[in-house]
Amino acid sequence: MIDYRKDVDALRGYAVLAVVFYHFNIPYFKGGFIGVDIFFVISGYLITSIIFSELKKNNFSFINFYERRIRRIVPILFIVLVVTIIIQSELLLYDEKNYFYNAILSIVFFVSNLWFAKSGTYFEPEISQSHLLHTWSLSIEEQFYLFFPLLLFFFYRKKIFLIL
């Protein structure tokens, strides 16, 4: 495991503020969605560090890696989805429910980035008002978690990296 880094937490804080300020239309934060990009970079850095550290110690396990990701993400996602389903089921019309439940399915299978991209652009009023639109970035993160460790493991075993 890697050591705690205050500077990485500070970057996370700046990233969150940028996104929140963007969504509240605070002046000078029109490009605040850059915070999501910062999160992706931080996530990539941390996951790569963790995997390399475990590979070097010869104790990397795909099962343990994926189990940690599931424990970290799925419980809160489940709560958000259940609460949203309960509330939205009472508020939405039939046509809206069909779209909503399809979006839920895409979230459960971590492909909501593809679902929302197919449904329109991020800035369209109908899409941007979706209460679950934020899950597109979670889906990308989960897709990264699914494939990137496999790639790193393969490269490490084949000794393709020069730094290790």
Side-chain angles (χ1 to χ4, degrees), residues 47-164:
I47 292 303
T48 303
S49 299
I50 290 167
I51 293 171
F52 276 163
S53 173
E54 291 178 1
L55 285 170
K56 285 180 182 179
K57 294 175 187 172
N58 207 24
N59 69 348
F60 177 74
S61 162
F62 285 103
I63 292 172
N64 290 341
F65 175 81
Y66 292 123
E67 186 259 337
R68 289 190 310 256
R69 303 286 72 77
I70 289 168
R71 275 189 302 142
R72 187 180 134 261
I73 292 170
V74 171
I76 192 67
L77 177 63
F78 180 75
I79 291 168
V80 167
L81 292 180
V82 167
V83 169
T84 305
I85 288 169
I86 290 169
I87 294 169
Q88 294 291 71
S89 293
E90 297 300 318
L91 299 176
L92 297 175
L93 300 172
Y94 177 78
D95 289 343
E96 294 170 325
K97 284 182 182 180
N98 187 31
Y99 177 86
F100 174 72
Y101 290 125
N102 283 324
I104 293 289
L105 279 176
S106 73
I107 294 164
V108 167
F109 290 105
F110 296 110
V111 292
S112 64
N113 57 320
L114 304 174
W115 167 258
F116 287 117
K118 181 187 78 148
S119 301
T121 68
Y122 187 82
F123 302 102
E124 288 179 29
E126 300 82 31
I127 301 297
S128 66
Q129 297 305 311
S130 173
H131 297 103
L132 297 170
L133 182 60
H134 64 281
T135 63
W136 72 267
S137 62
L138 183 60
S139 290
I140 290 174
E141 185 176 10
E142 291 308 306
Q143 292 161 15
F144 173 79
Y145 290 159
L146 182 62
F147 297 110
F148 190 65
L150 296 168
L151 189 66
L152 281 182
F153 184 79
F154 172 77
F155 284 167
Y156 185 80
R157 291 291 183 227
K158 296 292 183 182
K159 307 236 184 277
I160 294 175
F161 296 108
L162 301 174
I163 299 172
L164 301 175

Side-chain angles (χ1 to χ4, degrees), residues 13-27:
Y14 295 136
V16 168
L17 287 175
V19 172
V20 169
F21 291 169
Y22 167 76
H23 282 292
F24 280 106
N25 295 317
I26 293 179

